[in-house]
Amino acid sequence: MWSLCLHTVSYAGFWRGQARLELEEVLRKAKELGFQGVELMAKRPHASPLDFNQDNYKRLREIVDQVGIQVAIIAGYPDLTAGIDRPMAPFVEIQVLYLTELARMAHALACPLVRVFTGFERPGISFEAHWEACVRAMKEAAQRAADYKVTLAVQNHHDIACHSDTMLWFLEEVNEPNCKAAFDAWAPYLHGMRGEEIRAAVRKLAPYIAHTTCADYVAVPRVEYNVPLNSFRFPSEPAYWAVPMGEGIIDYPTFFRALEEIGYAGWVAYEMCSPLRGGGSLQNLDKAARTFVQYMREERWRKEPPKNR
């Protein structure tokens, strides 16, 4: 079936109580846990372009080969609307330069893909201005990445192109052959899509999907205490915390069946980049990562009914 890769952010120590491993340790950890590749986090503490030159890349590639694992994709962290309210500074150029450096990194590591975001919306700035800045920056970044034979994969994460419809429109407007989609299941599900709507979103983006990253979540109920009334406002917006694959609410059975229907042949990544039930100890992270590998290898999603709750 699909090859599996581990996002190194899972062991970066960013989240409450999360264990931190250095990059070489994460590579070895991924191999030990049964992954064929890694999604390499392109910022500190793992692989910031500021800390690498050609000699460093050569050494890292030697380690990757020695461990017997692949760099499946570079995980970039641009925000293409950063500074949109301060037009005197060349923020778009800065973001394009960062993405160009990531394409250089990917080329040096024999990696064909760089995961990218679009941009956050800033208050007081029109949606059209945000959109135009993102399209302009992504188009130039894709053209520059093409010099390194690298594809940019836009993730439907939290920004301008998050919804499946806007993702499609965005990719069509960028209109570069090496600008694709890193399309994940959790965002459509949290947008309220169910069953056929998720399948339709996958089919709609089928020509573009080049990567996907998985994480499963549960909704954590929240209430807000109303002091003057000695009462509660209920319900408040829930929080979402990560749980091992198959134990949450995300409809992976429908999503994976849809990927299979469109003939998807890329990597499937796993990430732990939010608070994880049971805490962030090395033992708990390892347990969740192993659960993902088992879930995928045993194709448990074929045996589960779609999740419509």
Side-chain angles (χ1 to χ4, degrees), residues 23 48 56 61 66 68 71 82 120 146 188 192 208 217 219 224 253 260 267 281 294-295:
L23 179 54
S48 170
N56 299 129
R61 188 163 176 182
Q66 179 189 61
V71 178
F120 290 97
Y208 293 100
Y217 296 92
E224 183 181 351
E260 190 175 49
W267 289 84
S281 70
Q294 291 168 355
Y295 180 93

Side-chain angles (χ1 to χ4, degrees), residues 19-257:
R20 172 176 166 174
L21 298 179
E22 298 303 318
L23 179 54
E24 185 172 345
E25 294 177 303
V26 182
L27 297 177
R28 297 187 185 282
K29 174 67 70 176
K31 181 69 174 180
E32 169 196 325
L33 293 169
F35 291 89
Q36 292 82 44
V38 292
E39 182 170 346
L40 181 60
M41 183 181 73
K43 61 180 179 179
R44 292 169 178 166
H46 287 164
S48 170
L50 288 173
D51 302 323
F52 280 80
N53 56 32
Q54 288 304 312
D55 289 339
N56 299 129
Y57 289 140
K58 181 180 178 182
R59 173 59 183 149
L60 178 56
R61 188 163 176 182
E62 288 172 352
I63 294 171
V64 166
D65 292 342
Q66 179 189 61
V67 172
I69 206 164
Q70 291 179 252
V71 178
I73 186 169
I74 304 291
Y77 294 84
D79 179 1
L80 304 182
T81 55
I84 195 170
D85 56 341
R86 297 290 185 269
M88 73 291 292
F91 283 100
V92 167
E93 295 169 38
I94 293 168
Q95 298 290 310
V96 172
L97 179 60
Y98 170 62
L99 292 178
T100 303
E101 286 300 309
L102 297 192
R104 192 195 311 273
M105 176 190 290
H107 179 74
L109 297 175
C111 171
L113 290 172
V114 172
R115 188 285 310 273
V116 297
F117 301 139
T118 51
F120 290 97
E121 291 189 58
R122 267 71 183 182
I125 307 294
S126 72
F127 180 80
E128 288 75 15
H130 287 93
W131 184 269
E132 192 277 333
C134 291
V135 169
R136 178 161 52 94
M138 194 68 70
K139 188 174 186 70
E140 182 173 357
Q143 291 170 346
R144 292 177 180 273
D147 293 338
Y148 297 97
K149 296 181 173 57
V150 167
T151 292
L152 303 183
V154 183
Q155 189 174 24
N156 57 325
H157 197 277
H158 52 242
D159 39 22
I160 291 296
C162 185
H163 191 277
S164 56
D165 286 340
T166 50
M167 168 77 78
L168 179 60
W169 301 333
F170 182 81
L171 294 172
E172 289 175 343
E173 194 162 334
V174 171
N175 192 29
E176 293 294 335
N178 65 324
C179 186
K180 300 293 186 180
F183 193 64
D184 304 341
W186 64 266
Y189 193 85
L190 296 184
H191 294 162
M193 292 186 180
R194 298 292 183 269
E196 183 57 34
E197 293 173 309
I198 293 175
R199 289 183 66 238
V202 172
R203 289 197 301 268
K204 187 184 304 181
L205 285 161
Y208 293 100
I209 297 176
H211 186 74
T212 189
T213 300
C214 301
D216 212 349
Y217 296 92
V218 292
V220 179
R222 295 176 57 250
V223 295
E224 183 181 351
Y225 183 51
N226 187 331
V227 177
L229 298 180
N230 190 29
S231 183
F232 293 95
R233 296 186 181 94
F234 181 84
S236 293
E237 187 73 17
Y240 286 90
W241 287 357
V243 293
M245 194 71 173
E247 297 181 16
I249 63 172
I250 309 303
D251 190 359
Y252 283 107
T254 295
F255 182 72
F256 287 136
R257 289 182 182 113

Side-chain angles (χ1 to χ4, degrees), residues 254-280:
T254 295
F255 182 72
F256 287 136
R257 289 182 182 113
L259 286 182
E260 190 175 49
E261 288 169 6
I262 67 169
Y264 177 71
W267 289 84
V268 176
Y270 180 62
E271 66 177 7
M272 294 173 281
C273 70
S274 63
L276 177 65
R277 188 170 188 174

Side-chain angles (χ1 to χ4, degrees), residues 275-296:
L276 177 65
R277 188 170 188 174
S281 70
L282 196 59
Q283 293 76 15
N284 198 46
L285 296 176
D286 288 356
K287 180 181 177 182
R290 286 194 179 95
T291 298
F292 170 77
V293 172
Q294 291 168 355
Y295 180 93
M296 296 302 297

